Amino acid sequence: MGVLRLLIFGTRGNWVRLAGIVVGVAIGVLLALLLVAGANALETRDIRSSWLQPAVNDLSTATTDDTIAARSDDIFGGERIDRLDIAAPAHAQAVLPGMEVPTPGTYKASPALTELIKNTPSTQLQDRYGEQVGTIPESLLASPDSLVVVVGGTPEGVSALLSAGVVDSFYAGAYGGNQNYQTIALVGALAVLIPAFLLVAVSTTLGSAARAERWQTLRTIGAPRKLVKRVALAEAAGTAVLGAALGVGGFFALRPLLALLPVAGERLIADDLAVSNTVVLVVAVAVVIGAVVAALRSARRTGSSATSQAVFEAAPRFARVIPLLAGLGLFFLVKTFAGQIPVPLVIPIVASFALIAMGLLIAGPYFTWLTGTWFARLAQAGDAVIASRRIVRTPRAGFRSVAGLVAATFLISVFAFSASASGSAGSYTSEPLLPENAVAANVKLDTDIAGASVKERLSRVSGITSVHFTYTDGEGIYIAGDDARMLTNHAFAGDIGELTGGIYSLAPDGPALHEATISTLDGLRINDIIAQTDSRAPSIEEARTALLTFEGVDRSAGVWTRAEHVVDTDSDLATQFAEIGRLAIVLVTFLTAAVLAIATTAALYDRKRTLSLLQLMGMPRNTLARIISWETLVPLLSILAPAVFLGWFTAYMLITSLSSRSLSWPDSLLGIALAATGLMVVVSILLAARVGNTIMRSSENNRRE
Amino acid sequence: MTQLEHIGPPRVAPALITARGLEKHHGQTHALRGVDVTIRQGEIVAVMGPSGSGKSTLLHCLAGVITPDTGEVTIGDTRISDLSEDQRSLFRLTRLGFVFQFGQLLPELSAEDNVALPLMLGGTRRARALVQAHSWLERLGLAGMERRLPSELSGGQAQRVALARGLVNAPAVLFADEPTGSLDSLTAERVMETLTDVARSTRTTLVIVTHDARVAAYSDREIFIRDGSVTSPALESAV
């Protein structure tokens, strides 16, 4: 035991190395647990608030015992309010546990919305709902920030709304049982878990050269292999256990802070970030076992001989590319036979993604070696010669430093290209009829309202400057020529215009407004009410409130401005991708920075003797920075383009397998993320050069006798 | 050529290395205590002393690897003590050569690249540097081993590669720190013969740090260090 203690804690350098491993393992475990907790929290909060999207049956089956509900998105000041109009008889079968349904003319609001209503003039918000009779308990809300309102109504009134249905059950399960959402969540979790485990793996290799040298010395002086193994085991298990314990402790300490992070605009509830003891134990034990196995393998390699020789890696084989090709092939199969696969689509999709992500990391050393060999042939300057030879002789170690960066580039590309699908559906393809300062409401089907009374009532709202209508004959949507000219900048010459794509003009083909074939609007039913305002935010909200409370307006279709309509159109699969993607990108970027810094610094410490020699020979200081640059950039560039391409390919396969959308060019997200990654590389190289110079200087001051 | 036949430098050769009043501390250890040394151009000098006496510290001070706490070192017209760290690096790269114990070759570089390294670090392109490297390897009997890695060379071969590396940039001074430290006696003898022969034929000043009297016997002159101070040969003989 005394020998063990001396061998492990004998030197200050070893202390520092062990501390580095402990910190790396702790951060990896912490992030893995936070990720599991985050996934649990999202699911828990979704289940808790899933009553807002009840499972409904067709209204034709309604009886007097049924609860009728209609869900809609309301908006105030750009914030979305979940609204549920509900009509429930006293003896209704489907009930909301923990809350009594408000009676007609009254409402219950979440605490956050109650606060908002309290601080807002009633004509802008409260008048939309009636009289408040209570608050919605937190046990029914996704987040303390949730803006939710349940409005009581009569069966007739609620039934008239477009989205109305007979409530079968208020609980449809997490994400409404949406498999796509589960797929996205799993892909996002994998995206963060991969760099988290990379961090743990890289940390446990800290100072591996120094460790190998020490074990070699032990073997040389006659220490039995068993002792070397015991030292390795004690060191690996000790650091891994301590790191895992710190990671678990850090998780419980940081959990309340994570709850403050807004996800999809809303904070989490701290209690939702729960991780079962089993999961904590599994993560911790897996990390410890992984570290011990890696250390024992290393001890077996270096402890097998008592002679000291420089150890180079064998040239990687093409077989390393096979998992990557398998992932690509599986995606092709999923896409081609999507309808015929007997298992839920989520399984092969997540498997393909995992194979490609892991395959990229497994193939990395092979690509690094290929590029390194080519680079070695071209290298002429001293720094390039040193770097290229090292890359060729130790491609796995060379790639390890940038593995996190490659994983990050791939994942960022996946999310950025996936997010481009949302843009492809939510942008205007022609000038819309609706000006930016107007709100529009859709009139209920088969409801005939008199234009004059609408205008008279809306004229009392101070911010409304004009009121216009569209009309329908059941087939087309029409607008008076004068109104069209007032609302748009179109040089429309006709008396009556026909709207091809509705007032928001999202139709991808043809002009949004053209001359109608009908000669009069008399006798047609009003389809849309458009209230143009003076552009002030309070005026828009007052106009919206007035329209929402107007008998005949279909509240469930939304009363929106043009900008709000685009936002709502975006709330689909691709937007969920973008949401999770942004979160994943931040985490992955952080992890990547840690992996790159640890791996580069560790590699420099392992080459202390070489650096010392080069310093003695008089190597200029900036040459070291150039060596580090080559050693970082060559492995990185060898696989950066494939990583971006595979990111696009994976995004394409994910989106087209799960939806009918297509990808377009990514927005600035990809550029910004890649620029940030590039900046991190530069900062890492500069920092590593500083560390390298410090190592050289400290070597220089070492006595050499 | 043996040491009995050696031709010493002309007595009129000018001083190349001058060190005055060198003091150096390593923590609590007083490694050098007011050392004065003069070494002439083309001279082969052995710095001798027991382990921990300060001989390697003296070599590092003379070569500008470390700066003394007090005192000054001049090589040729250059006062090393006045140079910045970067200037000292450049000076070492272009004017000095080094040979160390076995194992001080870069393991991932072939023999030819190890030899060419000082030239490449100084800005010479590899293709051109290799021409000179090959010339030195051939001169030291290592033709045909250019592509071998250090791990594929014997101790003596590796040391000759290191010697070629030390000489490839035609240094004014070659510093050798225990150059035969890890070699058997026969190989050590061959390496020392090669080292001194080359130094004499190229009129390169050679400073050898050693504790081995057999190695020191190849030099023109010996400098003894004990407890950080230069002592007289007579005193050393008595000790």
Side-chain angles (χ1 to χ4, degrees):
Chain A
M1 193 64 195
V3 177
L4 270 183
R5 200 166 51 231
L6 185 68
L7 289 172
I8 294 172
F9 301 119
T11 63
R12 186 176 168 274
N14 218 30
W15 268 104
V16 173
R17 187 173 66 80
L18 296 178
I21 296 174
V22 168
V23 171
V25 171
I27 294 176
V29 169
L30 168 69
L31 284 170
L33 289 176
L34 285 178
L35 185 75
V36 175
N40 283 347
L42 288 178
E43 187 174 351
T44 306
R45 84 174 190 175
D46 198 83
I47 290 173
R48 200 170 44 235
S49 60
S50 64
W51 58 273
L52 276 165
Q53 298 192 50
V56 292
N57 295 322
D58 194 83
L59 279 175
S60 60
T61 64
T63 67
T64 51
D65 291 340
D66 285 328
T67 300
I68 298 169
R71 198 199 158 277
S72 59
D73 286 336
D74 193 2
I75 287 182
F76 178 84
E79 297 284 327
R80 201 182 77 173
I81 300 168
D82 284 309
R83 173 172 179 159
L84 191 70
D85 284 277
I86 190 164
H91 47 282
Q93 288 165 353
V95 292
L96 271 172
M99 188 175 78
E100 277 186 30
V101 171
T103 53
T106 65
Y107 73 93
K108 289 183 176 181
S110 63
L113 181 58
T114 303
E115 193 63 22
L116 186 63
I117 289 171
K118 205 166 78 182
N119 298 319
T120 308
S122 61
T123 51
Q124 289 177 34
L125 186 56
Q126 185 174 18
D127 289 355
R128 300 177 193 179
Y129 312 126
E131 181 195 350
Q132 183 162 6
V133 291
T135 54
I136 301 170
E138 263 201 357
S139 60
L140 292 175
L141 296 172
S143 158
D145 301 326
S146 297
L147 299 176
V148 181
V149 63
V150 178
V151 183
T154 60
E156 299 75 29
V158 178
S159 298
L161 300 172
L162 193 65
S163 63
V166 176
V167 177
D168 182 43
S169 162
F170 275 104
Y171 290 95
Y175 315 122
N178 186 341
Q179 203 182 76
N180 291 351
Y181 199 97
Q182 289 168 354
T183 308
I184 293 162
L186 268 171
V187 167
L190 270 175
V192 182
L193 268 181
I194 289 169
F197 283 116
L198 261 180
L199 179 66
V200 173
V202 168
S203 300
T204 52
T205 62
L206 260 180
S208 56
R211 187 170 54 185
E213 196 174 296
R214 216 152 39 90
W215 292 343
Q216 204 70 62
T217 307
L218 283 175
R219 291 282 290 131
T220 308
I221 62 173
R225 197 177 297 176
K226 202 182 279 180
L227 177 68
V228 172
K229 268 190 180 175
R230 272 171 58 198
V231 175
L233 192 66
E235 204 178 89
T239 49
V241 166
L242 189 58
L246 284 175
V248 171
F251 163 68
F252 285 110
L254 287 178
R255 206 167 55 157
L257 292 179
L258 181 68
L260 297 177
L261 283 178
V263 178
E266 293 177 349
R267 286 172 298 161
L268 298 166
I269 292 173
D271 286 347
D272 290 350
L273 289 159
V275 177
S276 71
N277 292 338
T278 313
V279 172
V280 172
L281 204 65
V282 165
V283 170
V285 169
V287 166
V288 172
I289 289 175
V292 167
V293 168
L296 285 180
R297 277 186 59 195
S298 169
R300 196 164 54 236
R301 275 203 305 273
T302 54
S304 59
S305 161
T307 56
S308 176
Q309 291 286 336
V311 180
F312 295 125
E313 299 164 7
R317 295 180 181 177
F318 179 77
R320 284 184 159 268
V321 187
I322 290 174
L324 181 60
L325 295 177
L328 294 173
L330 187 57
F331 245 143
F332 268 118
L333 289 176
V334 172
K335 176 95 175 103
T336 312
F337 301 104
Q340 304 160 43
I341 296 174
V343 293
L345 215 52
V346 60
I347 295 171
I349 285 180
V350 170
S352 307
F353 176 80
L355 267 174
I356 290 177
M358 293 308 298
L360 199 58
L361 296 177
I362 293 168
Y366 179 73
F367 289 119
T368 299
W369 176 77
L370 274 184
T371 316
T373 308
W374 169 77
F375 176 48
R377 283 198 201 109
L378 297 179
Q380 286 293 323
D383 46 81
V385 170
I386 293 173
S388 64
R389 294 329 186 252
R390 182 163 187 271
I391 291 166
V392 172
R393 310 270 185 232
T394 55
R396 280 202 293 275
F399 178 73
R400 194 180 299 134
S401 301
V402 298
L405 216 54
V406 170
T409 304
F410 168 69
L411 300 169
I412 288 169
S413 303
V414 171
F415 287 115
F417 279 111
S418 302
S420 75
S422 72
S424 67
S427 57
Y428 290 107
T429 53
S430 57
E431 182 63 24
L433 176 78
L434 202 64
E436 285 180 356
N437 63 351
V439 285
N442 196 237
V443 175
K444 288 174 191 167
L445 285 174
D446 306 326
T447 304
D448 206 357
I449 57 173
S453 69
V454 173
K455 281 194 172 176
E456 190 274 323
R457 185 164 161 194
L458 291 181
S459 67
R460 285 185 238 142
V461 180
S462 57
I464 294 178
T465 54
S466 61
V467 179
H468 313 271
F469 304 110
T470 68
Y471 301 86
T472 182
D473 56 4
E475 290 179 2
I477 298 172
Y478 307 96
I479 187 167
D482 289 342
D483 284 343
R485 281 185 283 277
M486 276 183 74
L487 288 169
T488 71
N489 293 323
H490 284 80
F492 183 72
D495 290 334
I496 299 172
E498 182 172 1
L499 293 160
T500 308
I503 55 174
Y504 300 103
S505 291
L506 285 169
D509 50 344
L513 179 66
H514 57 86
E515 193 159 349
T517 50
I518 59 171
S519 57
T520 177
L521 295 170
D522 289 345
L524 298 187
R525 189 172 66 77
I526 291 177
N527 191 64
D528 298 295
I529 306 169
I530 300 167
Q532 199 165 7
T533 72
D534 56 12
S535 302
R536 290 165 51 246
S539 302
I540 288 174
E541 296 306 338
E542 277 195 40
R544 195 197 317 269
T545 304
L547 288 169
L548 279 167
T549 52
F550 208 93
E551 208 57 46
V553 161
D554 187 355
R555 291 189 298 273
S556 67
V559 177
W560 292 326
T561 64
R562 160 175 148 183
E564 290 160 357
H565 184 261
V566 174
V567 170
D568 193 72
T569 309
D570 273 355
S571 62
D572 56 12
L573 177 71
T575 309
Q576 291 165 19
F577 241 126
E579 276 284 331
I580 291 181
R582 279 184 203 108
L583 195 66
I585 284 170
V586 170
L587 280 173
V588 167
T589 305
F590 169 72
L591 280 169
T592 303
V595 170
L596 188 63
I598 290 176
T600 312
T601 310
L604 284 173
Y605 272 103
D606 283 351
R607 297 161 75 195
K608 196 172 173 180
R609 186 174 289 175
T610 299
L611 293 179
S612 160
L613 178 70
L614 291 169
Q615 158 75 12
L616 276 173
M617 285 167 55
M619 180 179 74
R621 214 188 306 204
N622 55 6
T623 303
L624 178 63
R626 286 205 296 271
I627 292 173
I628 296 170
S629 303
W630 286 125
E631 289 179 357
T632 307
L633 293 176
V634 170
L636 188 62
L637 294 177
S638 71
I639 201 162
L640 202 65
V644 173
F645 168 76
L646 287 168
W648 168 83
F649 175 81
T650 306
Y652 172 79
M653 286 296 187
L654 274 170
I655 294 294
T656 54
S657 300
L658 295 174
S659 74
S660 57
R661 290 170 167 277
S662 60
L663 299 190
S664 58
W665 279 105
D667 59 8
S668 53
L669 179 70
L670 180 62
I672 291 169
L674 290 181
T677 310
L679 187 68
M680 249 165 34
V681 173
V682 173
V683 170
S684 165
I685 288 171
L686 292 176
L687 281 176
R690 269 183 82 96
V691 171
N693 278 315
T694 307
I695 292 171
M696 289 204 303
R697 272 201 297 279
S698 66
S699 309
E700 158 192 322
N701 290 323
N702 284 343
R703 298 183 65 208
R704 292 175 164 274
E705 292 194 57
Chain B
M1 189 186 296
T2 70
Q3 76 266 34
L4 295 174
E5 299 169 329
H6 83 255
I7 303 162
R11 288 182 186 284
V12 291
L16 182 67
I17 305 173
T18 310
R20 291 286 171 263
L22 299 185
E23 296 266 352
K24 183 70 183 176
H25 287 83
H26 288 304
Q28 298 291 319
T29 309
H30 201 164
L32 295 179
R33 300 165 187 262
V35 171
D36 296 329
V37 170
T38 302
I39 298 170
R40 295 184 181 281
Q41 192 173 342
E43 196 175 13
I44 296 177
V45 173
V47 178
M48 292 195 69
S51 286
S53 59
K55 53 187 188 298
S56 285
T57 303
L58 174 62
L59 181 140
H60 289 148
C61 282
L62 295 180
V65 176
I66 58 175
T67 49
D69 299 337
T70 58
E72 61 178 52
V73 176
T74 306
I75 298 181
D77 300 331
T78 309
R79 261 174 69 150
I80 305 291
S81 337
D82 290 348
L83 299 180
S84 68
E85 196 182 317
D86 288 344
Q87 287 170 326
R88 278 190 282 129
S89 291
L90 186 63
F91 185 80
R92 285 200 301 276
L93 190 62
T94 54
R95 302 286 308 279
L96 309 181
F98 295 89
V99 181
F100 301 100
Q101 286 191 44
F102 174 76
Q104 294 284 12
L105 297 175
L106 264 64
E108 59 267 36
L109 297 191
S110 61
E112 61 183 9
D113 280 330
N114 260 296
V115 175
L117 192 58
L119 295 173
M120 291 192 288
L121 290 176
T124 309
R125 289 178 69 75
R126 181 171 179 262
R128 218 173 127 195
L130 284 183
V131 174
Q132 293 186 58
H134 288 167
S135 162
W136 272 107
L137 286 170
E138 193 179 345
R139 192 167 168 182
L140 294 175
L142 293 166
M145 297 188 180
E146 294 86 353
R147 300 284 175 89
R148 290 200 186 174
L149 292 173
S151 57
E152 297 164 342
L153 297 170
S154 70
Q157 288 167 340
Q159 201 58 317
R160 277 184 282 157
V161 171
L163 176 58
R165 184 180 64 191
L167 291 163
V168 76
N169 58 347
V173 186
L174 181 64
F175 290 98
D177 193 352
E178 303 281 9
T180 60
S182 57
L183 302 177
D184 61 78
S185 54
L186 184 64
T187 311
E189 199 175 312
R190 284 183 183 157
V191 165
M192 280 312 298
E193 278 176 8
T194 309
L195 181 60
T196 48
D197 281 354
V198 170
R200 287 186 207 291
S201 63
T202 55
R203 296 202 57 77
T204 304
T205 303
L206 176 60
V207 180
I208 308 165
V209 163
T210 183
H211 62 272
D212 188 339
R214 284 170 299 178
V215 171
Y218 286 86
S219 66
D220 301 328
R221 183 161 64 94
E222 293 161 1
I223 296 171
F224 291 95
I225 298 259
R226 182 174 290 278
D227 296 332
S229 301
V230 174
T231 62
S232 70
L235 178 63
E236 287 305 315
S237 300
V239 171

